[in-house]
Amino acid sequence: MTPSRQRPTFESPAASSSVGKAVDRVDGPLKAAGSAKYAAEYDYPDLAYAALTYSTIPRGRIVDIDTHAAQGHPGVVSVITHLTAPEMTPIRRLNPLVPGSFTSGTLVNYLNTGQVHWNGQPVALVVAETLEAAQEAARLVHVTYEASPATVDFETERHKAEQKKSLVNTLMGGDAAVGDADAALKVAPVSVDRMYSTPYENHNAMELHATTAIWEGGRLTVHDNTQNIDWTRKHLAIKFGLKARDIRVIATYVGGGFGGKSSVWAVTVLAALAAQVTGRPVRMMLTREGVYRTVGARSPTSQRVALGAGHDGRLTALVHEGVSQIGRVGGLPEPVTAQSGHMYATPNIRLSVATVETDTLPNTFMRAPGEAVGSFALESAIDELATELDVDPIELRRRNEPERSPVDGKPFTRRDMDSVYARGEQLFGWGDRPSGQRAVRDGRWLVGTGMASAFYLPARVTADVSVRLNADGTVLVRCAFHEIGVGAATAQAQIAADALGVPFSAVTVEHGDSEQPVGPGAFASAQTASVAASILVACELLTRDLERVARRNGQGREVGAPGSPAAASAVLRRAGLTHLEVRTGSDTAMGRAVSQARLVGMILNDRRRFVRAATGAHFCEVRVDVDTGEVRVTRWLGVFDVGRVINPKLASSQLRGGIIMGLGAALFEEALVDPRTGRVMNAGMADYHVPVHADLPHIDIDYLDDPDPTTPLGLLGLGEVGITGVAAAVANAVFHATGVRVRDLPITLDQLLT
Ligand code: MOS
């Protein structure tokens, strides 16, 4: 008898009865009823409201700050400036938990300095009895500055020679060279060598950044819509000189983040400061303008992609160079080359990323930082090469499909782009596509189709979880992960239900509170797989514990029978136990401690051994008004290889969200900076456009649904792959429709009126 037969099992036949099903999200009814509470919805007795005054110059120092009018405004409790704020400890990094967060300089220690580093930096904090009073008084703070020369315009700066190489390039794989790409390019029989640009894009999560802060005798509690609970706690601990355990961060529900809530921004720190200074609970919810002024977003980029090929369409050279903007007081390079070494078989590759420093708000993560905009350049260039070669763009990709990752020779954990392309061709009807441009007209509309590939490297990080099996057959999973709108708790409940062989309805998942075992950040498409890995370990240990108890009870046999929840209950009841609980992680304060070394080791080992990517391809139809240049996207299909799909309803929704965000980047989004003052001129959704329903086609999503052999349950993170390649697919379709190649996002009317 093998050991596994000896012990009773909770796996089959119930196994996989939940994973793979389109279960409705458990938070759906709460959200539909408006009873899911967000960070700015917690009421406390004596609650006060805070608002910010923003600097109006990009660089210089405050020589005088007159708070008299603000102090005198009815309802104002306190006006806090750098002259009055208590000292806080400076923070060196935006976010030390991920390698991309080594910044270009020490971050601004808000209200502990009279120096101004960007137009929009908070220079005063007003606390009042009402939100309206706080906002009005914030406008009454009068600041006199001594301005210094500032550099704020990326277009101007990127031509200067000050481009810097950074440590981050190495860490994030931005720079690489194989063979001699420049030499190979020179002698290539067919080549394209193009410049592409993408603009400064702003974060626009539906839920505005908000914090409600409460101090109780040296302990700080914040309701904060972070997507990174653990770092928020540590960041505040450093800032305010507290032990992490004296800080509680609660983020039960987060109304979208996309990377804009991965780091700690002024709102969180200054709400805590306001509560400390006034001794009252304080709520600060940024205005939409406040998000544009104080929360970083996607850097503008300028990119060169040069491809060389033989007449047979096989690539001989690939060069991808990117320049992005980084704030002088923090920010990170946009790793635009992240996908470029892994997608197409090429013997000669050169990738590089450089930054220019400007006196601007630190940029930050924004859905697929790097790939979202890097894929626009690469996937446009591939399409341009296909035109040069007069070969179908899918056929060109097929001819260059690599066996192993071209840039480092590592194997892919799984890769099946041939199936992705084949499904896309069939479902979209690609075969009917005329090969030339401007070939189809329907009344006023020029009609074209285009495609592009999608690629993202989901990360894996550690997560602590606890899993409790109660004698009534119910299960409680606890982990401080983030329900950021994607159905994370639902997916984890499905996973835990199958791992323990209980029905989905028996599992409750508690999340979003630093009192729970430490979870991962909701970033880098890492959360689902990272939490699932720990849940599976905990469930396995819990099952063994249960077997042990059963053996002590003399119950070994019947526990293995189908319908195990009942059997599990019987075991616990007979042993006189109310529950069994396992906790993974290094903290032994609660439950049983299990070393996480195994998981950490696995994560590091993964990176050394293989390339694990979520992939896909987008197919779209666009219509361009022949006279006005108006672009309408009229059909969309995304085919994805994201490993095993835990819940197709949630997964499709998330991939669709990525595509919609990509359509925003393709057609609308651009934060405009006044080159004289560095001020964002369209800081609000009236002037900065994101897609609305009227802009969107029906979006079809299809999967291979084939498990990855190296991840828990074979799932690959899918939060970010959806946006990659979208803008290129649109630009490629616009070219097909009109014959006009647009290389500068967004694709606006003026670029099509030729
Ligand atoms: Mo994502 S940009 O890692 O939240």
Side-chain angles (χ1 to χ4, degrees), residues 617-634:
H618 300 283
F619 302 81
C620 69
E621 179 193 84
V622 302
R623 293 176 167 242
V624 183
D625 187 296
V626 70
D627 293 321
T628 67
E630 176 187 353
V631 178
R632 290 267 153 193
V633 178
T634 45

mmCIF file with all atom_site columns, all heavy atoms in Angstrom, residues 617-634:
data_model
loop_
_atom_site.group_PDB
_atom_site.id
_atom_site.type_symbol
_atom_site.label_atom_id
_atom_site.label_alt_id
_atom_site.label_comp_id
_atom_site.label_asym_id
_atom_site.label_entity_id
_atom_site.label_seq_id
_atom_site.pdbx_PDB_ins_code
_atom_site.Cartn_x
_atom_site.Cartn_y
_atom_site.Cartn_z
_atom_site.occupancy
_atom_site.B_iso_or_equiv
_atom_site.pdbx_formal_charge
_atom_site.auth_seq_id
_atom_site.auth_comp_id
_atom_site.auth_asym_id
_atom_site.auth_atom_id
_atom_site.pdbx_PDB_model_num
ATOM 1   N N   . ALA A 1 617 ? -3.866  36.588 -28.030 1.00 0.00 ? 617 ALA A N   1
ATOM 2   C CA  . ALA A 1 617 ? -3.875  37.402 -29.243 1.00 0.00 ? 617 ALA A CA  1
ATOM 3   C C   . ALA A 1 617 ? -5.227  38.106 -29.353 1.00 0.00 ? 617 ALA A C   1
ATOM 4   O O   . ALA A 1 617 ? -6.261  37.547 -28.985 1.00 0.00 ? 617 ALA A O   1
ATOM 5   C CB  . ALA A 1 617 ? -3.615  36.543 -30.476 1.00 0.00 ? 617 ALA A CB  1
ATOM 6   N N   . HIS A 1 618 ? -5.158  39.344 -29.821 1.00 0.00 ? 618 HIS A N   1
ATOM 7   C CA  . HIS A 1 618 ? -6.359  40.157 -30.022 1.00 0.00 ? 618 HIS A CA  1
ATOM 8   C C   . HIS A 1 618 ? -6.667  40.256 -31.509 1.00 0.00 ? 618 HIS A C   1
ATOM 9   O O   . HIS A 1 618 ? -5.755  40.382 -32.333 1.00 0.00 ? 618 HIS A O   1
ATOM 10  C CB  . HIS A 1 618 ? -6.124  41.589 -29.516 1.00 0.00 ? 618 HIS A CB  1
ATOM 11  C CG  . HIS A 1 618 ? -5.779  41.679 -28.076 1.00 0.00 ? 618 HIS A CG  1
ATOM 12  N ND1 . HIS A 1 618 ? -6.712  41.555 -27.074 1.00 0.00 ? 618 HIS A ND1 1
ATOM 13  C CD2 . HIS A 1 618 ? -4.595  41.893 -27.446 1.00 0.00 ? 618 HIS A CD2 1
ATOM 14  C CE1 . HIS A 1 618 ? -6.123  41.707 -25.894 1.00 0.00 ? 618 HIS A CE1 1
ATOM 15  N NE2 . HIS A 1 618 ? -4.838  41.902 -26.097 1.00 0.00 ? 618 HIS A NE2 1
ATOM 16  N N   . PHE A 1 619 ? -7.959  40.253 -31.811 1.00 0.00 ? 619 PHE A N   1
ATOM 17  C CA  . PHE A 1 619 ? -8.419  40.396 -33.197 1.00 0.00 ? 619 PHE A CA  1
ATOM 18  C C   . PHE A 1 619 ? -9.522  41.446 -33.189 1.00 0.00 ? 619 PHE A C   1
ATOM 19  O O   . PHE A 1 619 ? -10.451 41.353 -32.380 1.00 0.00 ? 619 PHE A O   1
ATOM 20  C CB  . PHE A 1 619 ? -8.970  39.064 -33.717 1.00 0.00 ? 619 PHE A CB  1
ATOM 21  C CG  . PHE A 1 619 ? -7.957  37.947 -33.644 1.00 0.00 ? 619 PHE A CG  1
ATOM 22  C CD1 . PHE A 1 619 ? -7.740  37.272 -32.444 1.00 0.00 ? 619 PHE A CD1 1
ATOM 23  C CD2 . PHE A 1 619 ? -7.215  37.598 -34.755 1.00 0.00 ? 619 PHE A CD2 1
ATOM 24  C CE1 . PHE A 1 619 ? -6.791  36.253 -32.361 1.00 0.00 ? 619 PHE A CE1 1
ATOM 25  C CE2 . PHE A 1 619 ? -6.261  36.584 -34.676 1.00 0.00 ? 619 PHE A CE2 1
ATOM 26  C CZ  . PHE A 1 619 ? -6.045  35.912 -33.476 1.00 0.00 ? 619 PHE A CZ  1
ATOM 27  N N   . CYS A 1 620 ? -9.430  42.438 -34.053 1.00 0.00 ? 620 CYS A N   1
ATOM 28  C CA  . CYS A 1 620 ? -10.470 43.466 -33.995 1.00 0.00 ? 620 CYS A CA  1
ATOM 29  C C   . CYS A 1 620 ? -10.824 44.004 -35.378 1.00 0.00 ? 620 CYS A C   1
ATOM 30  O O   . CYS A 1 620 ? -10.063 43.872 -36.343 1.00 0.00 ? 620 CYS A O   1
ATOM 31  C CB  . CYS A 1 620 ? -10.044 44.617 -33.093 1.00 0.00 ? 620 CYS A CB  1
ATOM 32  S SG  . CYS A 1 620 ? -8.708  45.618 -33.718 1.00 0.00 ? 620 CYS A SG  1
ATOM 33  N N   . GLU A 1 621 ? -12.008 44.594 -35.420 1.00 0.00 ? 621 GLU A N   1
ATOM 34  C CA  . GLU A 1 621 ? -12.461 45.308 -36.615 1.00 0.00 ? 621 GLU A CA  1
ATOM 35  C C   . GLU A 1 621 ? -12.670 46.764 -36.230 1.00 0.00 ? 621 GLU A C   1
ATOM 36  O O   . GLU A 1 621 ? -13.247 47.048 -35.175 1.00 0.00 ? 621 GLU A O   1
ATOM 37  C CB  . GLU A 1 621 ? -13.781 44.727 -37.111 1.00 0.00 ? 621 GLU A CB  1
ATOM 38  C CG  . GLU A 1 621 ? -14.337 45.444 -38.338 1.00 0.00 ? 621 GLU A CG  1
ATOM 39  C CD  . GLU A 1 621 ? -15.780 45.048 -38.609 1.00 0.00 ? 621 GLU A CD  1
ATOM 40  O OE1 . GLU A 1 621 ? -16.691 45.636 -37.987 1.00 0.00 ? 621 GLU A OE1 1
ATOM 41  O OE2 . GLU A 1 621 ? -15.991 44.141 -39.435 1.00 0.00 ? 621 GLU A OE2 1
ATOM 42  N N   . VAL A 1 622 ? -12.189 47.684 -37.074 1.00 0.00 ? 622 VAL A N   1
ATOM 43  C CA  . VAL A 1 622 ? -12.445 49.099 -36.840 1.00 0.00 ? 622 VAL A CA  1
ATOM 44  C C   . VAL A 1 622 ? -13.112 49.701 -38.066 1.00 0.00 ? 622 VAL A C   1
ATOM 45  O O   . VAL A 1 622 ? -12.995 49.179 -39.178 1.00 0.00 ? 622 VAL A O   1
ATOM 46  C CB  . VAL A 1 622 ? -11.145 49.898 -36.542 1.00 0.00 ? 622 VAL A CB  1
ATOM 47  C CG1 . VAL A 1 622 ? -10.411 49.333 -35.338 1.00 0.00 ? 622 VAL A CG1 1
ATOM 48  C CG2 . VAL A 1 622 ? -10.231 49.966 -37.748 1.00 0.00 ? 622 VAL A CG2 1
ATOM 49  N N   . ARG A 1 623 ? -13.816 50.789 -37.806 1.00 0.00 ? 623 ARG A N   1
ATOM 50  C CA  . ARG A 1 623 ? -14.412 51.569 -38.892 1.00 0.00 ? 623 ARG A CA  1
ATOM 51  C C   . ARG A 1 623 ? -13.923 52.993 -38.731 1.00 0.00 ? 623 ARG A C   1
ATOM 52  O O   . ARG A 1 623 ? -13.974 53.547 -37.630 1.00 0.00 ? 623 ARG A O   1
ATOM 53  C CB  . ARG A 1 623 ? -15.938 51.516 -38.798 1.00 0.00 ? 623 ARG A CB  1
ATOM 54  C CG  . ARG A 1 623 ? -16.411 50.116 -39.074 1.00 0.00 ? 623 ARG A CG  1
ATOM 55  C CD  . ARG A 1 623 ? -17.897 49.912 -38.909 1.00 0.00 ? 623 ARG A CD  1
ATOM 56  N NE  . ARG A 1 623 ? -18.185 48.621 -39.517 1.00 0.00 ? 623 ARG A NE  1
ATOM 57  C CZ  . ARG A 1 623 ? -18.988 48.422 -40.562 1.00 0.00 ? 623 ARG A CZ  1
ATOM 58  N NH1 . ARG A 1 623 ? -19.659 49.435 -41.074 1.00 0.00 ? 623 ARG A NH1 1
ATOM 59  N NH2 . ARG A 1 623 ? -19.137 47.238 -41.085 1.00 0.00 ? 623 ARG A NH2 1
ATOM 60  N N   . VAL A 1 624 ? -13.416 53.568 -39.807 1.00 0.00 ? 624 VAL A N   1
ATOM 61  C CA  . VAL A 1 624 ? -12.884 54.923 -39.748 1.00 0.00 ? 624 VAL A CA  1
ATOM 62  C C   . VAL A 1 624 ? -13.689 55.794 -40.709 1.00 0.00 ? 624 VAL A C   1
ATOM 63  O O   . VAL A 1 624 ? -13.803 55.466 -41.901 1.00 0.00 ? 624 VAL A O   1
ATOM 64  C CB  . VAL A 1 624 ? -11.390 54.947 -40.141 1.00 0.00 ? 624 VAL A CB  1
ATOM 65  C CG1 . VAL A 1 624 ? -10.829 56.365 -40.013 1.00 0.00 ? 624 VAL A CG1 1
ATOM 66  C CG2 . VAL A 1 624 ? -10.580 53.981 -39.268 1.00 0.00 ? 624 VAL A CG2 1
ATOM 67  N N   . ASP A 1 625 ? -14.245 56.872 -40.179 1.00 0.00 ? 625 ASP A N   1
ATOM 68  C CA  . ASP A 1 625 ? -15.036 57.782 -41.011 1.00 0.00 ? 625 ASP A CA  1
ATOM 69  C C   . ASP A 1 625 ? -14.115 58.415 -42.056 1.00 0.00 ? 625 ASP A C   1
ATOM 70  O O   . ASP A 1 625 ? -13.096 59.032 -41.718 1.00 0.00 ? 625 ASP A O   1
ATOM 71  C CB  . ASP A 1 625 ? -15.688 58.862 -40.143 1.00 0.00 ? 625 ASP A CB  1
ATOM 72  C CG  . ASP A 1 625 ? -16.659 59.716 -40.950 1.00 0.00 ? 625 ASP A CG  1
ATOM 73  O OD1 . ASP A 1 625 ? -16.197 60.423 -41.884 1.00 0.00 ? 625 ASP A OD1 1
ATOM 74  O OD2 . ASP A 1 625 ? -17.861 59.685 -40.643 1.00 0.00 ? 625 ASP A OD2 1
ATOM 75  N N   . VAL A 1 626 ? -14.491 58.286 -43.307 1.00 0.00 ? 626 VAL A N   1
ATOM 76  C CA  . VAL A 1 626 ? -13.604 58.681 -44.397 1.00 0.00 ? 626 VAL A CA  1
ATOM 77  C C   . VAL A 1 626 ? -13.342 60.191 -44.398 1.00 0.00 ? 626 VAL A C   1
ATOM 78  O O   . VAL A 1 626 ? -12.280 60.643 -44.828 1.00 0.00 ? 626 VAL A O   1
ATOM 79  C CB  . VAL A 1 626 ? -14.174 58.174 -45.749 1.00 0.00 ? 626 VAL A CB  1
ATOM 80  C CG1 . VAL A 1 626 ? -15.428 58.945 -46.128 1.00 0.00 ? 626 VAL A CG1 1
ATOM 81  C CG2 . VAL A 1 626 ? -13.121 58.225 -46.847 1.00 0.00 ? 626 VAL A CG2 1
ATOM 82  N N   . ASP A 1 627 ? -14.282 60.982 -43.875 1.00 0.00 ? 627 ASP A N   1
ATOM 83  C CA  . ASP A 1 627 ? -14.102 62.439 -43.879 1.00 0.00 ? 627 ASP A CA  1
ATOM 84  C C   . ASP A 1 627 ? -13.557 62.987 -42.570 1.00 0.00 ? 627 ASP A C   1
ATOM 85  O O   . ASP A 1 627 ? -12.739 63.899 -42.571 1.00 0.00 ? 627 ASP A O   1
ATOM 86  C CB  . ASP A 1 627 ? -15.435 63.126 -44.184 1.00 0.00 ? 627 ASP A CB  1
ATOM 87  C CG  . ASP A 1 627 ? -15.892 62.848 -45.612 1.00 0.00 ? 627 ASP A CG  1
ATOM 88  O OD1 . ASP A 1 627 ? -15.015 62.823 -46.507 1.00 0.00 ? 627 ASP A OD1 1
ATOM 89  O OD2 . ASP A 1 627 ? -17.095 62.633 -45.814 1.00 0.00 ? 627 ASP A OD2 1
ATOM 90  N N   . THR A 1 628 ? -14.029 62.444 -41.441 1.00 0.00 ? 628 THR A N   1
ATOM 91  C CA  . THR A 1 628 ? -13.641 63.039 -40.149 1.00 0.00 ? 628 THR A CA  1
ATOM 92  C C   . THR A 1 628 ? -12.489 62.312 -39.473 1.00 0.00 ? 628 THR A C   1
ATOM 93  O O   . THR A 1 628 ? -11.874 62.835 -38.556 1.00 0.00 ? 628 THR A O   1
ATOM 94  C CB  . THR A 1 628 ? -14.828 63.033 -39.164 1.00 0.00 ? 628 THR A CB  1
ATOM 95  O OG1 . THR A 1 628 ? -15.125 61.669 -38.831 1.00 0.00 ? 628 THR A OG1 1
ATOM 96  C CG2 . THR A 1 628 ? -16.048 63.710 -39.758 1.00 0.00 ? 628 THR A CG2 1
ATOM 97  N N   . GLY A 1 629 ? -12.214 61.089 -39.885 1.00 0.00 ? 629 GLY A N   1
ATOM 98  C CA  . GLY A 1 629 ? -11.165 60.319 -39.231 1.00 0.00 ? 629 GLY A CA  1
ATOM 99  C C   . GLY A 1 629 ? -11.606 59.682 -37.924 1.00 0.00 ? 629 GLY A C   1
ATOM 100 O O   . GLY A 1 629 ? -10.801 59.072 -37.218 1.00 0.00 ? 629 GLY A O   1
ATOM 101 N N   . GLU A 1 630 ? -12.889 59.796 -37.590 1.00 0.00 ? 630 GLU A N   1
ATOM 102 C CA  . GLU A 1 630 ? -13.398 59.167 -36.367 1.00 0.00 ? 630 GLU A CA  1
ATOM 103 C C   . GLU A 1 630 ? -13.196 57.657 -36.431 1.00 0.00 ? 630 GLU A C   1
ATOM 104 O O   . GLU A 1 630 ? -13.517 57.028 -37.446 1.00 0.00 ? 630 GLU A O   1
ATOM 105 C CB  . GLU A 1 630 ? -14.894 59.489 -36.213 1.00 0.00 ? 630 GLU A CB  1
ATOM 106 C CG  . GLU A 1 630 ? -15.538 58.802 -35.023 1.00 0.00 ? 630 GLU A CG  1
ATOM 107 C CD  . GLU A 1 630 ? -17.052 58.992 -34.989 1.00 0.00 ? 630 GLU A CD  1
ATOM 108 O OE1 . GLU A 1 630 ? -17.589 59.765 -35.814 1.00 0.00 ? 630 GLU A OE1 1
ATOM 109 O OE2 . GLU A 1 630 ? -17.692 58.358 -34.129 1.00 0.00 ? 630 GLU A OE2 1
ATOM 110 N N   . VAL A 1 631 ? -12.650 57.097 -35.348 1.00 0.00 ? 631 VAL A N   1
ATOM 111 C CA  . VAL A 1 631 ? -12.407 55.654 -35.300 1.00 0.00 ? 631 VAL A CA  1
ATOM 112 C C   . VAL A 1 631 ? -13.427 54.996 -34.378 1.00 0.00 ? 631 VAL A C   1
ATOM 113 O O   . VAL A 1 631 ? -13.622 55.435 -33.242 1.00 0.00 ? 631 VAL A O   1
ATOM 114 C CB  . VAL A 1 631 ? -10.988 55.339 -34.767 1.00 0.00 ? 631 VAL A CB  1
ATOM 115 C CG1 . VAL A 1 631 ? -10.768 53.825 -34.679 1.00 0.00 ? 631 VAL A CG1 1
ATOM 116 C CG2 . VAL A 1 631 ? -9.913  55.975 -35.644 1.00 0.00 ? 631 VAL A CG2 1
ATOM 117 N N   . ARG A 1 632 ? -14.082 53.971 -34.869 1.00 0.00 ? 632 ARG A N   1
ATOM 118 C CA  . ARG A 1 632 ? -14.995 53.163 -34.058 1.00 0.00 ? 632 ARG A CA  1
ATOM 119 C C   . ARG A 1 632 ? -14.494 51.727 -34.058 1.00 0.00 ? 632 ARG A C   1
ATOM 120 O O   . ARG A 1 632 ? -14.253 51.171 -35.136 1.00 0.00 ? 632 ARG A O   1
ATOM 121 C CB  . ARG A 1 632 ? -16.404 53.200 -34.647 1.00 0.00 ? 632 ARG A CB  1
ATOM 122 C CG  . ARG A 1 632 ? -17.084 54.537 -34.500 1.00 0.00 ? 632 ARG A CG  1
ATOM 123 C CD  . ARG A 1 632 ? -17.907 54.561 -33.240 1.00 0.00 ? 632 ARG A CD  1
ATOM 124 N NE  . ARG A 1 632 ? -18.057 55.904 -32.728 1.00 0.00 ? 632 ARG A NE  1
ATOM 125 C CZ  . ARG A 1 632 ? -18.516 56.176 -31.500 1.00 0.00 ? 632 ARG A CZ  1
ATOM 126 N NH1 . ARG A 1 632 ? -18.856 55.192 -30.695 1.00 0.00 ? 632 ARG A NH1 1
ATOM 127 N NH2 . ARG A 1 632 ? -18.624 57.399 -31.083 1.00 0.00 ? 632 ARG A NH2 1
ATOM 128 N N   . VAL A 1 633 ? -14.331 51.153 -32.874 1.00 0.00 ? 633 VAL A N   1
ATOM 129 C CA  . VAL A 1 633 ? -13.962 49.741 -32.802 1.00 0.00 ? 633 VAL A CA  1
ATOM 130 C C   . VAL A 1 633 ? -15.257 48.955 -32.763 1.00 0.00 ? 633 VAL A C   1
ATOM 131 O O   . VAL A 1 633 ? -16.086 49.154 -31.876 1.00 0.00 ? 633 VAL A O   1
ATOM 132 C CB  . VAL A 1 633 ? -13.104 49.457 -31.561 1.00 0.00 ? 633 VAL A CB  1
ATOM 133 C CG1 . VAL A 1 633 ? -12.759 47.977 -31.477 1.00 0.00 ? 633 VAL A CG1 1
ATOM 134 C CG2 . VAL A 1 633 ? -11.820 50.295 -31.611 1.00 0.00 ? 633 VAL A CG2 1
ATOM 135 N N   . THR A 1 634 ? -15.459 48.076 -33.743 1.00 0.00 ? 634 THR A N   1
ATOM 136 C CA  . THR A 1 634 ? -16.779 47.458 -33.902 1.00 0.00 ? 634 THR A CA  1
ATOM 137 C C   . THR A 1 634 ? -16.829 45.968 -33.585 1.00 0.00 ? 634 THR A C   1
ATOM 138 O O   . THR A 1 634 ? -17.904 45.400 -33.423 1.00 0.00 ? 634 THR A O   1
ATOM 139 C CB  . THR A 1 634 ? -17.299 47.688 -35.337 1.00 0.00 ? 634 THR A CB  1
ATOM 140 O OG1 . THR A 1 634 ? -16.234 47.428 -36.258 1.00 0.00 ? 634 THR A OG1 1
ATOM 141 C CG2 . THR A 1 634 ? -17.747 49.130 -35.500 1.00 0.00 ? 634 THR A CG2 1
#
